[in-house]
Amino acid sequence: MKDKVNAGIIGASGYTGGELMRLLLNHPHVNLEMATSRKLAGQNVSKKHAHLAGLTDLEFEELDPVAVRQRCDVVFLAVPHGSAMDIVPQLIGSGLRIVDLSADYRLGVDEFEKVYGTKHHDPRKAVFGLVELHPEVKGETFVANPGCYPTGATLAAAPVVNAGLADIAVFDSKSGITGAGVNPSQASHYPNMAENIQPYKLTTHRHQAEIWQELNGLGGLDSVNFTPHVIPAIRGILTTAHLFLKEECSEEDIRQLYDSFYSDCPFVRLVDDIPALGNVRGSNFCDIGFEIDANSNRLVVISAIDNLVKGASGQAIQNMNLMCGFRETDGLWNAGLAP
Amino acid sequence: MKDKVNAGIIGASGYTGGELMRLLLNHPHVNLEMATSRKLAGQNVSKKHAHLAGLTDLEFEELDPVAVRQRCDVVFLAVPHGSAMDIVPQLIGSGLRIVDLSADYRLGVDEFEKVYGTKHHDPRKAVFGLVELHPEVKGETFVANPGCYPTGATLAAAPVVNAGLADIAVFDSKSGITGAGVNPSQASHYPNMAENIQPYKLTTHRHQAEIWQELNGLGGLDSVNFTPHVIPAIRGILTTAHLFLKEECSEEDIRQLYDSFYSDCPFVRLVDDIPALGNVRGSNFCDIGFEIDANSNRLVVISAIDNLVKGASGQAIQNMNLMCGFRETDGLWNAGLAP
Amino acid sequence: MKDKVNAGIIGASGYTGGELMRLLLNHPHVNLEMATSRKLAGQNVSKKHAHLAGLTDLEFEELDPVAVRQRCDVVFLAVPHGSAMDIVPQLIGSGLRIVDLSADYRLGVDEFEKVYGTKHHDPRKAVFGLVELHPEVKGETFVANPGCYPTGATLAAAPVVNAGLADIAVFDSKSGITGAGVNPSQASHYPNMAENIQPYKLTTHRHQAEIWQELNGLGGLDSVNFTPHVIPAIRGILTTAHLFLKEECSEEDIRQLYDSFYSDCPFVRLVDDIPALGNVRGSNFCDIGFEIDANSNRLVVISAIDNLVKGASGQAIQNMNLMCGFRETDGLWNAGLAP
Amino acid sequence: MKDKVNAGIIGASGYTGGELMRLLLNHPHVNLEMATSRKLAGQNVSKKHAHLAGLTDLEFEELDPVAVRQRCDVVFLAVPHGSAMDIVPQLIGSGLRIVDLSADYRLGVDEFEKVYGTKHHDPRKAVFGLVELHPEVKGETFVANPGCYPTGATLAAAPVVNAGLADIAVFDSKSGITGAGVNPSQASHYPNMAENIQPYKLTTHRHQAEIWQELNGLGGLDSVNFTPHVIPAIRGILTTAHLFLKEECSEEDIRQLYDSFYSDCPFVRLVDDIPALGNVRGSNFCDIGFEIDANSNRLVVISAIDNLVKGASGQAIQNMNLMCGFRETDGLWNAGLAP
């Protein structure tokens, strides 16, 4: 691939769009060529994303698939679920690299229709872009970027599931409120969110299907359980994975298992202490720590990611890097904003 | 008992002491007679607890057990774990009502020594003051006030455990940082706590012993698991109880079970929506909501309390009310401070 | 007046309505008779205000002025600005006590029309219900409850202005976000509000007219300046009043001035340390502290109130108490929820 | 200067040290050669600064001035006030570039002794490293990095003061709590800081001397007033500058004044809307917005910076860039972490 690719973002007015731009503007191999938004076409990007002022003069455009194919080498779809499946068919096939941040191509068509309760128009299957589990992303042209919760939950449990050691998993996940998007709602209303932690969709969140799919691909579990919460934090997902083991394991066994499983994964950091969201804030890292409860043969694994970076836009760029032949860490090798 | 009792607080300089005073100053049957603090003796109480300015002229005193027995009808111990066992023997037996907010008398002596790693000097056993499970508090003179986490966790699971329906319980609890006390630490340092949720003692928190004891008293479970987190909130504990059921139950079954179990418990509110900490903030209520995960026969129960009220000082007053023959709700029948 | 009055709340679905109910339900001389809401008529009050569950079975009603006059002794209007002037004329004159929490009757008609840019239908003037400056509230039947910012700012400066000591005042006020109401907006969106302090209407906030009016009534200043900010807090207004003095004063002079001015005001507490919002949270107190900058003859006064209590609903009840012949502190004599 | 300089950090265990490392590790012309800490010598840097894990293997060292002079081309002092004056004389003169982040060399010796109440051992004067006012930093070898508050306040007022337009300035500043450092205190204790805004040192903060010095250098004002507050935010300083103008000015006049004054300053962004801390979080930008109060000839200017970046470590690197002949923006040209 050439040294510098032209990148476009379709649906760039929201948080993941803003985050893609923040990161791509500093990427050594990317020229940010295009950002589309139906509502904001014609406006300067930094009018909406004021943190980008001075760094770019880009203006939002209307989406024009022909222009995308002509001007871009790689394109990110940051559109709502259900929209990507209308756009992808107009883009695919021309050599353009596509990273879809929506849910449309993460599950099989049948599973998608069951979980999202809506018809799928496009039977195409993308590679699931959790690079740590899917190195086959390298060289691909169409990747479905994982959901935020599935990223944190799957990375927390993958080594143990892959080793066939666990039978029950309870993922108790806590997300910053940006996961709910840029539009104000009762959930994101400060007086409701501050001084609170709000569980929601206790047993019915759609991301469970992704977690199930990915862990199943590693051998599976008898029971995969997922309950999400929003916390008074802008960014971050901390997942407390309660993994019931079939047999006794030492902490040393587990450490070796994780070390080995993630030995080629620059963004997964196995930490000695318990992960904290501040250490990954704004970065593409996933920090993992754990402890064993000998009484009940329970392994408690904590994973921490930034939901907008490793849980969305950063991971999308990580995918792009591999798809385009760049180094996996290009443009992403920065520390978290701690404190 | 007389219409108005004289109350004392031993160790009144911390959060639970301040909270006891805030509540007792508005109690129709209580005269706040005494507040002790070694460090602050001689100082006006409102110098330390500035929110009480104008409401009381009380001064901190040195602890003098003789004075306590002479001047008080009821006394609250808000001292560190390990101190209460030195004080209680000097107070007990004179008709004085004692509510101990420390951990010293919550567990049997053997269990205490095992869990707290320290010798117990006083073999006496108190009634465990979780009124909803221990109505025998009524008329007692010595009560051990439950820990904050055990209050929320036990109330979340008790009806199901009492009915023998569950075999595994995972309590994933989230507490406001006041649970860590009035003294600054790295855990309570704003830059560490804000925009974070911090798991700690993933498998070894001492409150698990209380949860186990109380659920065991109701029939028990195969496996009781507890992992605490601190959240960026001043007050409140939200517990997500993942309860694996032995058999399928309908939501209607569960609702009836909880309604019936808590029918005489004014402070437990079964809510239709998911509990939120704001609704119980500053109040003695425990709000409970739930949902069933049909896939895995998992019942997710959410309980919300204010850790300093129902989880400490309010519950202590609820105990006092029953010990002294007042109405259970006297001085505590106020709404949460929402928003 | 009778020992127990029937109270109604018109427009009870918002924050000030909820707060009125929270407080009135514990008022020894009040029966909460009625709460109206166009949108929620027929619904249980605790469906909307979940913190009131168990404490009241009241249902929202449609507003019916005849019913209000028949069933209520006192009524609170918690309706948007511009609505009260349509309702008040239908209620007034029957002996009913009216406390209007909207802005409609706080200013003279001309000033109102200038500041709010809308026609006023009702030339009637109410007493301005800042009790500390307007003891004539006592016995009145129609009172305009002050705005939240004017309450904190005016109380901070009144003694100095009354003594004719200052010529320039800069009120730099910081408010919790509940001041913006119950409906989500970009301003109250957690990702915008958290980790931020947001100035707004830097020079044009409408509350300046109330501050000016009240300070003018005390003798006035050459220049009254006001800039509001929202802070990442649910409740509370902290005002930093920079008051430039015409002559040198000692801290002792100022202390005596404030002590004397507020000697009959139970809810104003002159504090030695710098006020903190936690000490007044949920209470009707206004805490005031100060320091003199000898270099520039600047007196810095800090006032702290809870915007929903002393800044709205609590102050309305304080007015009601005086209008109905109750003690000023009835139902309001509780400590702030600190921490 | 060579293309890549070796940089050292003396006193690297605190927030500004961590921030220097976060930024320097991504600087195209810097090799991070050394980080000293008395307490942590021998420990891996990422043990203390966990967000740097994976990005550096550096270990803390004891401070050895000889080694600093031999191994470093540029050194940053991130030590407490009063310590730098003992270290600088051991380093200076060897061609080593020194950026001192302490207060020791920001004021003249007399002023320093008056303000800090401590004897100064070293009469040397550094250039005051507010690049926007002191382009003479270019080519210097010893620079005193400005305080955080003075950076935001001075940049807010400089164009107006330089034009001789104002006579009174009131700087009402609001800082994130990291300004108080890495060690827990009552001020940084979460239950005290959350849901609060805490004024402190109402009239006596030592940073006022720097503001005065810098504005005086531009022509001065009759009266410079400064009152700081801490807000519930990790990072950021928002300053509300109330500037009383001697004559009427239009918004267009002011806009041209600021545009012109900052025309060569890449990190100062004049914004149309009111600045928000999120837009500068983690970045070296200073966002400035304003509004005129025609009634009182008051100009309200809002400036927003990240206290740890433009207010400390980022500005230090900006100074380094100019001292070493790099581009002013090298290593600092990244967007704020919004949201």
Side-chain angles (χ1 to χ4, degrees):
Chain A
M1 196 106 194
K2 45 189 170 176
D3 179 62
K4 204 133 187 167
V5 294
N6 285 323
I9 301 167
I10 298 178
S13 67
Y15 285 145
T16 48
E19 198 65 356
L20 281 165
M21 289 192 273
R22 180 180 74 82
L23 293 164
L24 291 175
L25 284 169
N26 267 359
H27 195 292
H29 299 300
V30 170
N31 168 50
L32 183 54
E33 170 67 22
M34 179 190 289
T36 84
S37 164
R38 256 182 318 177
K39 277 178 305 186
L40 304 177
Q43 267 192 29
N44 201 295
V45 153
S46 66
K47 174 87 183 160
K48 174 72 182 176
H49 299 292
H51 59 302
L52 303 180
L55 297 162
T56 179
D57 291 325
L58 209 65
E59 285 182 7
F60 289 114
E61 309 177 28
E62 292 278 359
L63 168 57
D64 171 358
V66 175
V68 174
R69 290 202 310 266
Q70 284 174 342
R71 289 162 48 200
C72 297
D73 301 300
V74 60
V75 70
F76 298 90
L77 273 69
V79 297
H81 307 316
S83 299
M85 67 178 86
D86 292 330
I87 299 171
V88 163
Q90 305 179 56
L91 300 176
I92 215 155
S94 57
L96 181 70
R97 266 76 174 161
I98 303 175
V99 183
D100 176 19
L101 284 84
S102 85
D104 288 9
Y105 295 92
R106 294 180 196 153
L107 306 168
V109 165
D110 290 353
E111 186 68 7
F112 178 88
E113 295 190 342
K114 205 178 88 191
V115 172
Y116 285 82
T118 186
K119 196 88 194 128
H120 204 304
H121 313 312
D122 184 21
R124 212 174 321 251
K125 186 78 170 60
V127 174
F128 192 83
L130 188 58
V131 169
E132 288 76 10
L133 268 64
H134 294 279
E136 68 270 25
V137 160
K138 199 159 195 162
E140 270 295 325
T141 53
F142 182 33
V143 166
N145 207 54
C148 52
Y149 286 123
T151 298
T154 305
L155 291 176
V160 166
V161 175
N162 185 58
L165 287 173
D167 48 13
I168 301 178
V170 176
F171 297 102
D172 191 292
S173 291
K174 297 90 173 173
S175 173
I177 186 67
T178 45
V182 78
N183 292 319
S185 66
Q186 283 296 339
S188 74
H189 191 46
Y190 190 91
N192 295 338
M193 185 70 269
E195 297 290 308
N196 193 17
I197 172 172
Q198 194 58 58
Y200 67 108
K201 294 185 194 290
L202 303 181
T203 63
T204 59
H205 195 287
R206 300 188 291 199
H207 279 176
Q208 182 164 22
E210 288 178 47
I211 303 172
W212 174 267
Q213 166 184 288
E214 292 306 303
L215 295 182
N216 222 31
L218 295 171
L221 292 149
D222 294 348
S223 157
V224 172
N225 303 276
F226 171 58
T227 297
H229 307 66
V230 279
I231 56 170
I234 300 172
R235 288 165 176 256
I237 292 180
L238 186 134
T239 294
T240 309
H242 307 268
L243 306 172
F244 289 91
L245 304 180
K246 298 179 193 162
E247 53 191 270
E248 279 193 35
C249 295
S250 71
E251 299 217 341
E252 194 43 39
D253 294 340
I254 300 294
R255 183 160 297 276
Q256 283 180 11
L257 197 65
Y258 277 73
D259 267 338
S260 158
F261 191 89
Y262 291 125
S263 59
D264 293 330
C265 300
F267 291 112
V268 177
R269 299 189 293 201
L270 200 60
V271 303
D272 291 331
D273 293 331
I274 298 172
L277 289 178
N279 292 329
V280 299
R281 186 183 301 136
S283 86
N284 200 51
F285 288 105
C286 174
D287 282 2
I288 293 181
F290 68 89
E291 208 173 291
I292 293 175
D293 188 346
N295 291 324
S296 56
N297 239 9
R298 176 179 57 126
L299 170 67
V300 182
V301 184
I302 307 292
S303 71
I305 61 170
D306 183 318
N307 59 313
L308 295 181
V309 188
K310 181 60 180 166
S313 303
Q315 183 150 260
I317 294 171
Q318 186 182 358
N319 278 305
M320 177 203 77
N321 282 341
L322 293 184
M323 294 162 79
C324 294
F326 304 136
R327 275 183 308 177
E328 190 172 345
T329 55
D330 279 343
L332 296 171
W333 201 237
N334 65 290
L337 191 72
Chain B
M1 196 105 198
K2 42 190 174 177
D3 178 61
K4 204 134 188 167
V5 294
N6 286 322
I9 301 166
I10 298 177
S13 66
Y15 285 146
T16 49
E19 197 66 356
L20 281 165
M21 289 192 273
R22 179 180 75 84
L23 293 165
L24 291 174
L25 284 169
N26 266 0
H27 195 291
H29 299 299
V30 169
N31 168 49
L32 183 55
E33 171 66 24
M34 179 190 288
T36 83
S37 164
R38 257 181 319 179
K39 278 177 303 186
L40 304 177
Q43 268 193 28
N44 201 296
V45 152
S46 65
K47 174 88 184 159
K48 175 73 183 175
H49 299 292
H51 59 303
L52 302 179
L55 297 161
T56 179
D57 292 325
L58 208 65
E59 284 180 7
F60 289 113
E61 307 177 28
E62 291 277 359
L63 168 57
D64 171 358
V66 176
V68 174
R69 291 202 310 267
Q70 284 174 342
R71 288 163 48 199
C72 297
D73 301 300
V74 60
V75 70
F76 298 90
L77 273 69
V79 296
H81 307 317
S83 299
M85 66 176 86
D86 293 331
I87 299 170
V88 163
Q90 304 179 58
L91 299 175
I92 214 156
S94 58
L96 181 70
R97 266 76 174 163
I98 303 175
V99 183
D100 176 19
L101 284 83
S102 86
D104 287 8
Y105 295 92
R106 294 179 196 153
L107 306 168
V109 165
D110 290 352
E111 185 69 7
F112 177 89
E113 296 189 340
K114 206 178 85 190
V115 172
Y116 285 82
T118 184
K119 195 89 194 127
H120 205 304
H121 313 312
D122 184 20
R124 210 174 322 250
K125 185 79 171 58
V127 174
F128 191 83
L130 187 58
V131 170
E132 287 76 10
L133 268 64
H134 294 279
E136 68 269 26
V137 161
K138 199 160 195 159
E140 268 297 324
T141 54
F142 182 34
V143 167
N145 208 55
C148 51
Y149 285 122
T151 298
T154 305
L155 291 176
V160 165
V161 175
N162 185 58
L165 288 173
D167 48 14
I168 302 178
V170 176
F171 297 103
D172 191 293
S173 292
K174 296 90 174 172
S175 174
I177 186 68
T178 48
V182 78
N183 292 319
S185 66
Q186 283 296 341
S188 74
H189 191 45
Y190 191 90
N192 295 338
M193 185 71 267
E195 297 291 308
N196 192 15
I197 172 171
Q198 193 58 57
Y200 67 109
K201 293 184 194 294
L202 303 182
T203 62
T204 59
H205 195 285
R206 302 189 290 199
H207 278 177
Q208 182 164 23
E210 289 179 45
I211 303 171
W212 174 266
Q213 168 185 286
E214 292 306 304
L215 295 182
N216 222 31
L218 294 172
L221 291 148
D222 294 349
S223 158
V224 172
N225 303 276
F226 172 58
T227 299
H229 308 66
V230 280
I231 55 171
I234 301 172
R235 289 164 175 256
I237 293 180
L238 186 134
T239 295
T240 308
H242 306 267
L243 305 171
F244 289 90
L245 304 180
K246 297 179 195 164
E247 51 189 273
E248 278 192 35
C249 293
S250 71
E251 298 218 344
E252 194 44 38
D253 294 341
I254 299 294
R255 184 159 296 275
Q256 281 180 14
L257 197 66
Y258 277 74
D259 267 338
S260 157
F261 191 88
Y262 290 125
S263 60
D264 293 330
C265 300
F267 291 112
V268 178
R269 297 189 294 200
L270 200 59
V271 303
D272 291 331
D273 293 332
I274 299 173
L277 289 178
N279 292 328
V280 300
R281 187 183 299 137
S283 86
N284 201 50
F285 289 105
C286 174
D287 283 0
I288 293 180
F290 68 90
E291 209 173 290
I292 293 176
D293 188 346
N295 291 326
S296 57
N297 241 7
R298 176 179 57 126
L299 170 67
V300 181
V301 184
I302 307 292
S303 70
I305 60 171
D306 184 318
N307 61 313
L308 295 180
V309 187
K310 182 59 180 168
S313 303
Q315 184 150 260
I317 294 171
Q318 186 182 357
N319 277 306
M320 178 203 78
N321 281 340
L322 293 183
M323 295 162 79
C324 293
F326 304 138
R327 277 184 306 179
E328 191 171 343
T329 56
D330 280 343
L332 295 172
W333 201 238
N334 65 289
L337 190 71
Chain C
M1 195 108 197
K2 43 190 172 176
D3 179 62
K4 204 133 188 168
V5 295
N6 286 322
I9 300 166
I10 297 177
S13 65
Y15 286 145
T16 50
E19 197 65 355
L20 281 165
M21 290 192 272
R22 180 180 74 83
L23 292 165
L24 291 174
L25 284 169
N26 266 0
H27 196 291
H29 299 301
V30 169
N31 167 50
L32 183 55
E33 171 66 23
M34 179 189 288
T36 83
S37 164
R38 256 182 318 179
K39 275 178 306 186
L40 304 177
Q43 267 193 29
N44 202 296
V45 152
S46 65
K47 173 88 183 160
K48 174 73 183 175
H49 299 293
H51 58 303
L52 302 179
L55 296 162
T56 179
D57 292 326
L58 209 65
E59 285 180 6
F60 289 114
E61 309 177 27
E62 292 278 358
L63 168 57
D64 171 358
V66 176
V68 173
R69 291 202 310 268
Q70 284 175 343
R71 287 163 48 199
C72 296
D73 300 301
V74 59
V75 70
F76 298 90
L77 274 70
V79 297
H81 307 317
S83 299
M85 67 176 86
D86 293 330
I87 299 171
V88 163
Q90 305 179 56
L91 300 176
I92 214 156
S94 57
L96 182 69
R97 266 75 173 162
I98 303 176
V99 183
D100 176 20
L101 284 84
S102 86
D104 287 8
Y105 296 92
R106 293 180 197 154
L107 306 168
V109 165
D110 290 352
E111 186 69 9
F112 178 89
E113 295 189 342
K114 206 180 86 191
V115 173
Y116 285 82
T118 185
K119 197 85 194 132
H120 204 305
H121 313 313
D122 185 21
R124 212 173 321 250
K125 185 77 170 59
V127 174
F128 192 83
L130 187 58
V131 170
E132 287 76 11
L133 267 65
H134 295 279
E136 68 269 25
V137 160
K138 200 161 195 160
E140 268 297 326
T141 53
F142 182 35
V143 166
N145 208 56
C148 51
Y149 286 122
T151 297
T154 306
L155 291 176
V160 165
V161 175
N162 186 56
L165 287 174
D167 49 13
I168 302 178
V170 176
F171 297 102
D172 191 293
S173 292
K174 296 90 175 173
S175 174
I177 187 67
T178 46
V182 76
N183 292 319
S185 66
Q186 283 296 341
S188 74
H189 191 46
Y190 191 89
N192 295 339
M193 185 71 268
E195 297 291 308
N196 192 15
I197 171 171
Q198 193 58 58
Y200 67 107
K201 292 183 196 293
L202 302 182
T203 63
T204 60
H205 196 285
R206 302 188 289 199
H207 278 177
Q208 183 164 21
E210 289 178 46
I211 303 172
W212 174 268
Q213 166 183 287
E214 292 306 303
L215 295 182
N216 221 31
L218 295 171
L221 292 148
D222 294 348
S223 158
V224 172
N225 303 277
F226 172 58
T227 298
H229 308 65
V230 281
I231 55 171
I234 300 172
R235 288 164 175 256
I237 292 180
L238 187 133
T239 295
T240 308
H242 307 268
L243 306 171
F244 289 90
L245 304 180
K246 298 177 194 166
E247 50 191 273
E248 277 192 34
C249 293
S250 71
E251 298 217 344
E252 192 45 37
D253 294 340
I254 299 295
R255 182 159 297 276
Q256 282 180 14
L257 197 65
Y258 277 74
D259 267 339
S260 159
F261 191 88
Y262 291 124
S263 60
D264 293 332
C265 301
F267 291 113
V268 178
R269 299 189 294 200
L270 201 58
V271 303
D272 292 331
D273 292 332
I274 298 173
L277 289 178
N279 292 327
V280 300
R281 187 182 300 136
S283 86
N284 201 51
F285 288 105
C286 174
D287 282 3
I288 293 181
F290 68 89
E291 208 171 290
I292 293 176
D293 188 345
N295 291 327
S296 56
N297 241 8
R298 176 179 57 125
L299 171 66
V300 182
V301 184
I302 307 292
S303 70
I305 61 170
D306 184 317
N307 61 312
L308 295 181
V309 188
K310 181 60 180 167
S313 304
Q315 183 150 261
I317 294 171
Q318 187 182 357
N319 277 307
M320 178 203 77
N321 281 341
L322 293 183
M323 294 163 78
C324 294
F326 305 137
R327 277 184 306 179
E328 191 172 342
T329 55
D330 280 343
L332 295 171
W333 202 236
N334 64 289
L337 190 72
Chain D
M1 196 108 197
K2 45 188 172 176
D3 179 61
K4 205 136 188 167
V5 294
N6 286 323
I9 301 166
I10 298 178
S13 66
Y15 285 146
T16 48
E19 197 67 354
L20 281 166
M21 289 191 274
R22 179 180 74 83
L23 293 165
L24 291 174
L25 284 169
N26 267 359
H27 196 292
H29 300 299
V30 170
N31 167 50
L32 183 55
E33 169 68 23
M34 179 191 289
T36 84
S37 164
R38 257 181 319 179
K39 277 178 305 185
L40 305 178
Q43 268 193 28
N44 202 296
V45 153
S46 66
K47 173 88 184 160
K48 174 72 182 175
H49 299 293
H51 57 305
L52 303 179
L55 297 161
T56 178
D57 292 324
L58 209 65
E59 285 182 8
F60 289 114
E61 309 177 27
E62 292 278 359
L63 168 57
D64 171 357
V66 176
V68 173
R69 290 201 311 267
Q70 285 175 341
R71 289 163 46 199
C72 297
D73 302 300
V74 60
V75 71
F76 299 90
L77 273 70
V79 298
H81 307 316
S83 300
M85 65 176 88
D86 293 331
I87 299 171
V88 164
Q90 304 179 57
L91 300 177
I92 214 155
S94 56
L96 182 69
R97 266 76 173 162
I98 304 176
V99 182
D100 176 20
L101 285 82
S102 86
D104 287 10
Y105 295 92
R106 294 179 197 154
L107 307 168
V109 164
D110 290 352
E111 186 68 9
F112 178 89
E113 295 189 342
K114 207 179 86 192
V115 172
Y116 286 82
T118 185
K119 198 85 194 132
H120 203 304
H121 313 312
D122 184 22
R124 210 174 321 250
K125 185 79 171 60
V127 174
F128 192 83
L130 187 58
V131 170
E132 287 77 10
L133 268 64
H134 295 280
E136 68 269 26
V137 160
K138 200 159 195 160
E140 270 296 325
T141 53
F142 181 34
V143 166
N145 206 56
C148 51
Y149 287 123
T151 297
T154 305
L155 291 176
V160 166
V161 175
N162 185 57
L165 288 174
D167 49 13
I168 303 177
V170 176
F171 297 102
D172 192 292
S173 292
K174 297 89 174 173
S175 173
I177 188 66
T178 46
V182 77
N183 292 318
S185 66
Q186 283 295 340
S188 73
H189 191 45
Y190 191 90
N192 296 339
M193 186 70 267
E195 299 290 307
N196 193 16
I197 171 171
Q198 193 58 57
Y200 68 107
K201 294 184 195 293
L202 303 182
T203 63
T204 60
H205 196 285
R206 301 188 289 199
H207 278 176
Q208 182 163 24
E210 288 177 46
I211 303 172
W212 175 266
Q213 167 185 287
E214 292 306 303
L215 295 182
N216 222 31
L218 295 172
L221 292 149
D222 294 348
S223 159
V224 172
N225 302 277
F226 172 57
T227 298
H229 307 66
V230 279
I231 55 171
I234 299 172
R235 289 164 174 255
I237 292 181
L238 185 133
T239 295
T240 309
H242 307 267
L243 305 172
F244 290 91
L245 303 179
K246 297 178 194 165
E247 52 191 270
E248 278 192 35
C249 294
S250 71
E251 297 218 344
E252 192 44 38
D253 293 340
I254 300 294
R255 183 160 296 277
Q256 282 180 13
L257 198 64
Y258 278 73
D259 268 338
S260 158
F261 192 89
Y262 291 125
S263 60
D264 293 330
C265 301
F267 291 113
V268 177
R269 299 189 292 199
L270 200 59
V271 303
D272 292 330
D273 293 331
I274 299 172
L277 289 178
N279 292 328
V280 300
R281 186 183 300 136
S283 87
N284 200 51
F285 288 104
C286 174
D287 283 1
I288 292 182
F290 68 89
E291 206 172 292
I292 293 176
D293 188 346
N295 291 326
S296 56
N297 239 10
R298 177 180 55 126
L299 171 66
V300 182
V301 184
I302 307 293
S303 71
I305 60 170
D306 184 317
N307 61 312
L308 296 180
V309 187
K310 181 61 180 165
S313 303
Q315 184 150 256
I317 293 171
Q318 186 183 359
N319 277 305
M320 178 202 79
N321 282 340
L322 293 183
M323 296 162 78
C324 294
F326 304 138
R327 276 184 307 179
E328 191 172 343
T329 54
D330 280 343
L332 295 171
W333 201 237
N334 64 290
L337 190 71

